[in-house]
Amino acid sequence: MRQILFAGAIGLFLTLVGTPLLIKLLARKGYGQFIRDDGPRTHGSKKGTPTMGGISFILATLIAYALAKVFTGGEVTYSGVLVLFLMAGMGLVGFLDDYIKIVKQRSLGLRAKAKMAGQLIVGIAFAVLALQFKDARGNAPASEKLSFITDFGWAIGPVLFVVWALFMILAMSNGVNLTDGLDGLATGASVMVFGAYTFIGLWQFQESCANATTLTNPDACFEVRDPLDLAVVAAALMGSCFGFLWWNTSPAKIFMGDTGSLALGGALAGLAICSRTELLLALLGGLFVLITMSVVIQVGSFKLTGKRVFRMAPLQHHFELKGWSEVLVVVRFWIIQGMCVIVGLGLFYAGWAADK
């Protein structure tokens, strides 16, 4: 428990104090946001706002995790390190994308094939390594079975698992990326999901099958390799994002950029895979799914019928064009995300209670 509190508090402190320093550095170098011409007209005022702010909470999370271990004497685990690797690796791909946008003033950044190649390399490395490093109970950081509250069904095999893991990583990374269109929207939504995974990791640790002899009902335990350390990682991310939100909320002093959005999506997917709650992530991160689906529907409708369903996609821009203020859209979307987290945690607890 001390590890979780230390990680969250240190992450919060580092981004509260460190983000203004990053803002000054990026502003001095002229690393400002490039605004696309086809976006909402009200976004023109955002041009030049420092971007690549994801550097702030990525570094804060890594430092918070390390210091939490030093201060508490906690054990570094393969599961925790792998999730941090996935976050940092996806963040690096996003950083290259942001850097090219700024230096070459090209709104699309990395070429699509290069960006996809980077994501695939990081994702495949994570998926392959996640099936290694089994503990004394035979648990690797990830399982070849699909999962909702816990694993279910038959093992799909290592090849299909890698494909499934890649789908999750790419879906969540691009989902957070699409959501990151308004000040504080993706950051605030991510804080809620990381908070949920802090609770899930702590609960799984308390009800771990490794402690079956002390549980009232061993049949209702969780077979997860390093649940407590996953809670520590989630807490570090929650605290870091919460501190970053102070500077990212409207009017934003800094944007996370693809550096941040790809990193957050990777971290969410990694936490879901290693905590054996893969399908539950679709509900816990319901806002990201909703916004992604709005783009899929818009593109599909236009290609099939030549007509658009929304005034603009992603969904948040549709409501902006309907006259909603940016702050109103963000707060209402946060409420939707909060409800998704409440329902997701309710199902998580209900699934455990039903077995108990």
Side-chain angles (χ1 to χ4, degrees), residues 114-338:
K115 188 174 183 179
M116 179 61 72
Q119 291 176 301
L120 288 176
I121 291 172
V122 175
I124 291 173
F126 166 82
V128 171
L129 290 173
L131 292 177
Q132 314 303 317
F133 313 115
K134 293 183 179 181
D135 62 10
R137 295 179 57 83
N139 291 319
S143 168
E144 293 181 11
K145 293 183 178 181
L146 299 180
S147 60
F148 181 57
I149 306 300
T150 57
D151 289 345
F152 66 86
W154 296 277
I156 60 177
V159 175
L160 287 180
F161 167 77
V162 171
V163 173
W164 169 240
L166 281 175
F167 170 77
M168 286 191 62
I169 294 166
L170 294 175
M172 286 310 302
S173 295
N174 290 291
V176 178
N177 184 256
L178 291 171
T179 304
D180 183 36
L182 300 181
D183 295 354
L185 179 57
T187 309
S190 297
V191 167
M192 299 181 204
V193 187
F194 289 131
Y197 271 109
T198 302
F199 170 82
I200 287 172
L202 184 57
W203 191 268
Q204 288 178 333
F205 172 70
Q206 293 175 339
E207 300 294 331
S208 172
C209 293
N211 305 322
T213 55
T214 62
L215 299 178
T216 55
N217 184 5
D219 293 331
C221 64
F222 294 97
E223 198 69 80
V224 177
R225 191 190 192 285
D226 306 300
L228 181 61
D229 209 35
L230 293 176
V232 174
V233 171
L237 280 159
M238 178 179 65
S240 298
C241 287
F242 207 10
F244 180 76
L245 184 60
W246 181 271
W247 306 103
N248 182 234
T249 193
S250 183
K253 301 295 188 295
I254 188 171
F255 300 136
M256 70 169 68
D258 282 13
T259 305
S261 60
L262 295 188
L264 292 181
L268 288 170
L271 286 169
I273 291 169
C274 291
S275 65
R276 316 288 172 86
T277 56
E278 296 160 356
L279 297 179
L280 184 63
L281 178 60
L283 184 52
L284 291 173
L287 181 64
F288 304 127
V289 175
L290 178 64
I291 288 176
T292 301
M293 289 306 300
S294 73
V295 175
V296 173
I297 292 170
Q298 184 85 324
V299 173
S301 176
F302 187 76
K303 287 187 175 181
L304 292 174
T305 67
K307 297 180 180 179
R308 292 180 172 85
V309 176
F310 307 104
R311 295 187 181 185
M312 181 178 289
L315 187 61
Q316 62 267 33
H317 299 320
H318 167 79
F319 289 102
E320 278 192 290
L321 295 183
K322 287 191 67 175
W324 292 19
S325 69
E326 180 174 2
V327 173
L328 180 62
V329 176
V330 170
V331 172
R332 287 182 173 173
F333 275 38
W334 279 351
I335 292 172
I336 292 172
Q337 177 56 48

Side-chain angles (χ1 to χ4, degrees), residues 7-216:
I10 294 171
L12 174 64
F13 174 78
L14 289 176
T15 46
L16 279 175
V17 175
T19 304
L21 302 178
L22 180 62
I23 292 173
K24 292 180 181 179
L25 175 62
L26 294 173
R28 189 181 306 123
K29 290 183 173 293
Y31 290 174
Q33 178 70 27
F34 187 92
I35 303 297
R36 295 177 61 176
D37 296 332
D38 56 353
R41 294 180 180 179
T42 55
H43 288 201
S45 61
K46 300 176 185 287
K47 185 175 182 180
T49 301
T51 187
M52 296 194 293
I55 295 172
S56 173
F57 55 75
I58 291 173
L59 292 178
T61 299
L62 295 173
I63 295 172
Y65 176 82
L67 290 181
K69 297 298 180 181
V70 172
F71 292 155
T72 65
E75 180 184 358
V76 175
T77 69
Y78 288 112
S79 298
V81 170
L82 280 172
V83 173
L84 293 174
F85 161 76
L86 182 58
M87 174 196 70
M90 296 298 288
L92 177 60
V93 175
F95 172 81
L96 294 174
D97 191 42
D98 286 333
Y99 187 78
I100 291 174
K101 289 177 185 176
I102 294 167
V103 173
K104 295 190 176 181
Q105 289 292 292
R106 192 172 74 202
S107 63
L108 296 179
L110 276 174
R111 300 297 182 188
K113 290 183 178 180
K115 188 174 183 179
M116 179 61 72
Q119 291 176 301
L120 288 176
I121 291 172
V122 175
I124 291 173
F126 166 82
V128 171
L129 290 173
L131 292 177
Q132 314 303 317
F133 313 115
K134 293 183 179 181
D135 62 10
R137 295 179 57 83
N139 291 319
S143 168
E144 293 181 11
K145 293 183 178 181
L146 299 180
S147 60
F148 181 57
I149 306 300
T150 57
D151 289 345
F152 66 86
W154 296 277
I156 60 177
V159 175
L160 287 180
F161 167 77
V162 171
V163 173
W164 169 240
L166 281 175
F167 170 77
M168 286 191 62
I169 294 166
L170 294 175
M172 286 310 302
S173 295
N174 290 291
V176 178
N177 184 256
L178 291 171
T179 304
D180 183 36
L182 300 181
D183 295 354
L185 179 57
T187 309
S190 297
V191 167
M192 299 181 204
V193 187
F194 289 131
Y197 271 109
T198 302
F199 170 82
I200 287 172
L202 184 57
W203 191 268
Q204 288 178 333
F205 172 70
Q206 293 175 339
E207 300 294 331
S208 172
C209 293
N211 305 322
T213 55
T214 62
L215 299 178
T216 55

